[in-house]
């Protein structure tokens, strides 16, 4: 690494130290921003510090999948660089390199660090050509924040440009998504597809982001649809269709509130509910096996031990009450949360939606969410919050769901009781972190109260 990049890294590390020392905060992007100002090529230089296994992107599931993949890679015992907190711009990846790598268990075959990074779809064109990972993992593509990133064709172009800038990177993608498969068809990179090779008997979503052939524009035919546009598709006009799956999940089934599937003679259990967790776990399996540094035992142990801590499918215990939080920032994400609530028989729902810059200001997508599925829940209690609470309340009204505007999760808990069952808190990007912090404080207070009673 040259003098300029070394000096830039020093400035970034100093900024991070200052933030932790004087502001008691670990900045996820600012150190990277400072380093990049001092040396625009700093990311390419820093990337030489590790065997860069993967850059992971997609509309939904990036953070969860990246954390699970990082846990699997850590099972190899090698030091690990990862932006686990979801700082997924180029500056966030730079910052991750400025921090000492996570030190895994002893007994690794090599002390050479590995890396695994989450990346925003539109920033892959900058990160992938500079990091040059062995694998570029694409989870899915859905319409999301149209006022920020535009239509899906724009996102596809950015991802294709990223791959073209790193020709030796293997493209690992969701073959069940025709929007992902279309990218594989247009780039020269070696490609491997993963997918679900069985019909789970799910009802198709009312809204799909694309069920048209990406080659000729004809309407696709499906043997089955899992959700959105994901499933077993083919074009009756030109013959284009779902590619051969290099990693295929079979016999997907529900087991005690979680999902399981079979692959390569093994049974994998997700530990979390939601069909998209099958895709996330399957993607990590594909990456783990293709990397050749993660054993199945290491993968299985990481999956079994994985417990979300970033608000995504995270459960909080408040005495006799249980609260689950999850992120939803587009129609497909909300529709999958709707399925989770229906599958688990939930009756208390709290939706928090903001319209800050990171969320996108256009909330017309509320009308593409299938809230009508919730309207038949007996004894349903619905709450809305955030800067666009009124808009969400109107949308629920037209779905036949009366709701109450609240300020925070404590208001929801105060308006319900233990007999109402589990509380489901669903929030978009900027609304989720404060809710998570609030629930963490409430959980700690509840645990401390229980401990005092036991000590009396």
């Amino acid at each position: 690494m040259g003098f300029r990049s070394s000096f830039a890294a020093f400035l970034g590390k100093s900024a991070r130290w200052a933030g932790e020392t004087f502001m008691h905060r670990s900045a996820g992007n600012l150190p990277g921003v400072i380093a990049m100002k001092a040396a625009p090529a700093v990311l390419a230089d820093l990337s030489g510090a590790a065997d860069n296994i993967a850059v992971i992107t997609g509309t939904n599931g990036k953070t969860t999948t990246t954390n699970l993949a990082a846990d699997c890679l850590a099972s190899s015992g090698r030091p690990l660089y990862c932006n686990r907190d979801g700082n997924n711009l180029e500056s966030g990846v730079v910052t991750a390199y400025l921090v000492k790598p996570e030190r895994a268990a002893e007994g690794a075959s090599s002390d050479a660090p590995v890396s695994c990074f989450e990346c925003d779809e539109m920033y892959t064109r900058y990160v992938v050509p500079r990091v040059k990972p062995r694998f570029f993992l694409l989870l899915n593509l859905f319409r999301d924040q149209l006022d920020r990133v535009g239509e899906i064709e724009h996102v596809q172009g950015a991802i294709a440009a990223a791959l073209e800038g790193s020709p030796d990177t293997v493209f690992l993608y969701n073959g069940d998504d025709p929007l992902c498969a279309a990218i594989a068809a247009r780039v020269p990179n070696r490609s491997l597809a993963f997918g679900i090779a069985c019909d789970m008997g799910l009802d198709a979503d009312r809204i799909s982001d694309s069920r048209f052939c990406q080659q000729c524009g004809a309407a696709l035919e499906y043997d089955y649809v899992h959700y959105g546009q994901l499933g077993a598709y083919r074009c009756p006009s030109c013959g284009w269709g779902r590619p051969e799956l290099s990693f295929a999940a079979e016999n997907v089934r529900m087991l005690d509130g979680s999902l399981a599937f079979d692959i390569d003679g093994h049974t994998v259990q997700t530990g979390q509910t939601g069909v998209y967790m099958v895709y996330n776990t399957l993607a990590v399996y594909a990456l783990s096996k293709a990397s050749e540094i993660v054993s199945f035992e290491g993968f299985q142990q990481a999956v079994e031990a994985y417990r979300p801590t970033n608000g995504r499918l995270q459960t909080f215990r408040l005495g006799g009450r249980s609260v689950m939080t999850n992120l939803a920032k587009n129609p497909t994400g909300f529709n999958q949360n709707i399925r989770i609530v229906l599958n688990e028989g939930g009756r208390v729902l709290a939706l928090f939606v903001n319209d800050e810059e990171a969320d996108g200001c256009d909330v017309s997508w509320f009308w593409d969410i299938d809230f009508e599925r919730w309207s038949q829940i007996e004894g349903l209690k619905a709450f809305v919050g955030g800067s666009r609470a009124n808009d969400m309340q109107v949308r629920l009204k037209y779905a036949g769901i009366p709701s109450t505007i609240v300020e925070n999760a404590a208001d929801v808990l105060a308006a319900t009781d233990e007999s109402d069952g589990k509380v489901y808190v669903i929030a978009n990007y900027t609304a989720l972190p404060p809710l998570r912090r609030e629930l963490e404080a409430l959980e700690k207070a509840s645990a401390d109260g229980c401990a005092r009673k036991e000590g009396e």
Side-chain angles (χ1 to χ4, degrees):
M1 187 162 58
F3 172 78
R4 187 173 181 181
S5 289
S6 296
F7 180 65
F10 170 76
L11 291 178
K13 290 177 181 178
S14 299
R16 185 175 176 84
W17 174 84
E20 291 178 340
T21 303
F22 300 111
M23 300 180 66
H24 306 291
R25 294 176 60 184
S26 296
N29 281 300
L30 183 59
V33 170
I34 292 172
M36 289 166 60
K37 287 286 187 182
V42 68
L43 177 55
D45 288 338
L46 288 171
S47 67
D51 177 3
N52 300 302
I53 302 297
V55 168
I56 298 172
T57 197
T59 308
N60 293 338
K62 293 186 291 291
T63 302
T64 297
T65 302
T66 300
N67 277 279
L68 182 54
D71 289 348
C72 291
L73 291 171
S75 72
S76 70
R78 294 173 63 175
L80 172 74
Y81 290 102
C82 184
N83 53 347
R84 286 184 178 271
D85 291 332
N87 301 302
N88 60 20
L89 306 183
E90 183 180 2
S91 55
V93 177
V94 171
T95 299
Y97 275 121
L98 298 176
V99 181
K100 287 184 179 180
E102 300 174 24
R103 188 67 199 183
E106 298 296 329
S109 58
S110 170
D111 286 331
V114 295
S115 79
C116 175
F117 296 115
E118 170 187 347
C119 187
D120 177 88
E121 301 94 289
M122 298 306 295
Y123 278 79
T124 57
R125 70 179 92 181
Y126 309 115
V127 171
V128 172
R130 291 166 184 165
V131 172
K132 298 191 183 303
R134 288 165 57 186
F135 301 95
F136 179 30
L137 175 57
L138 177 59
L139 295 167
N140 47 58
L141 288 175
F142 301 109
R143 295 171 72 245
D144 182 58
Q145 298 183 15
L146 296 182
D147 52 349
R148 182 176 76 88
V149 302
E151 286 288 355
I152 289 175
E153 291 83 356
H154 189 208
V155 181
Q156 288 176 305
I159 292 172
L163 286 162
E164 290 164 358
S166 184
D168 293 331
T169 294
V170 177
F171 185 35
L172 191 56
Y173 69 98
N174 187 343
D176 288 355
D177 188 341
L179 297 172
C180 297
I183 298 173
R186 66 190 275 192
V187 298
N189 303 63
R190 180 183 171 220
S191 299
L192 298 172
F194 61 88
I196 299 174
C198 63
D199 185 357
M200 292 188 288
L202 301 174
D203 294 331
D205 292 332
R206 178 174 58 88
I207 298 294
S208 172
D209 288 313
S210 176
R211 291 193 185 164
F212 295 93
C213 178
Q214 292 283 295
Q215 305 301 310
C216 72
L220 292 172
E221 293 181 350
Y222 278 79
D223 294 329
Y224 48 82
V225 177
H226 301 310
Y227 65 87
Q229 71 273 6
L230 276 58
Y233 54 89
R234 62 183 180 278
C235 177
S237 179
C238 71
W240 184 75
R242 182 172 71 170
E244 180 181 352
L245 300 177
S246 300
F247 306 94
E250 302 272 6
N251 190 26
V252 180
R253 58 210 181 270
M254 180 74 74
L255 290 178
D256 298 326
S258 64
L259 288 163
F261 61 88
D262 299 331
I263 189 168
D264 294 338
H266 300 289
T267 295
V268 177
Q269 190 167 348
T270 65
Q272 288 80 36
T273 189
V275 177
Y276 57 87
M277 273 307 296
V278 174
Y279 278 113
N280 293 346
T281 308
L282 174 60
V284 173
Y285 173 84
L287 177 61
S288 297
K289 186 170 183 179
S291 74
E292 298 183 338
I293 67 170
V294 180
S295 66
F296 179 78
E297 291 72 25
F299 163 79
Q300 189 172 45
Q301 289 171 9
V303 169
E304 290 175 353
Y306 180 70
R307 296 293 180 272
T309 58
N310 54 13
R312 277 79 160 173
L313 289 175
Q314 187 172 356
T315 299
F316 300 86
R317 308 291 180 185
L318 308 176
R321 308 199 66 181
S322 175
V323 180
M324 189 195 84
T325 59
N326 204 10
L327 174 72
K329 55 190 180 68
N330 51 48
T332 300
F334 262 96
N335 286 337
Q336 289 309 297
N337 278 281
I338 287 170
R339 282 184 173 173
I340 290 173
V341 173
L342 293 174
N343 289 339
E344 297 187 358
R347 292 187 294 120
V348 181
L349 315 172
L351 313 178
F352 292 84
V353 184
N354 289 340
D355 62 350
E356 296 182 21
E357 183 177 355
D359 304 303
C361 300
D362 180 4
V363 295
S364 59
W365 56 273
F366 287 3
W367 297 89
D368 291 337
I369 304 170
D370 290 339
F371 286 123
E372 284 75 10
R373 293 184 181 182
W374 275 343
S375 63
Q376 303 305 314
I377 298 176
E378 186 175 351
L380 175 67
K381 295 183 179 180
F383 304 87
V384 294
S387 60
R388 300 309 288 258
N390 295 104
D391 301 82
M392 183 59 76
Q393 188 178 47
V394 170
R395 173 65 185 97
L396 292 180
K397 176 183 177 180
Y398 277 87
I401 302 172
S403 61
T404 302
I405 293 179
V406 293
E407 290 293 324
N408 48 39
D411 289 348
V412 177
L413 295 169
T416 58
D417 57 42
E418 191 173 335
S419 65
D420 291 312
K422 187 175 181 178
V423 178
Y424 295 82
V425 177
I426 303 167
N428 71 342
Y429 191 71
T430 65
L432 184 59
L435 287 164
R436 187 188 73 187
R437 290 192 293 269
E438 178 193 4
L439 287 165
E440 286 173 343
L442 291 172
E443 185 177 53
K444 184 179 185 303
S446 176
D448 291 345
C450 290
R452 283 194 298 269
K453 288 182 179 180
E454 291 177 359
E456 292 175 355

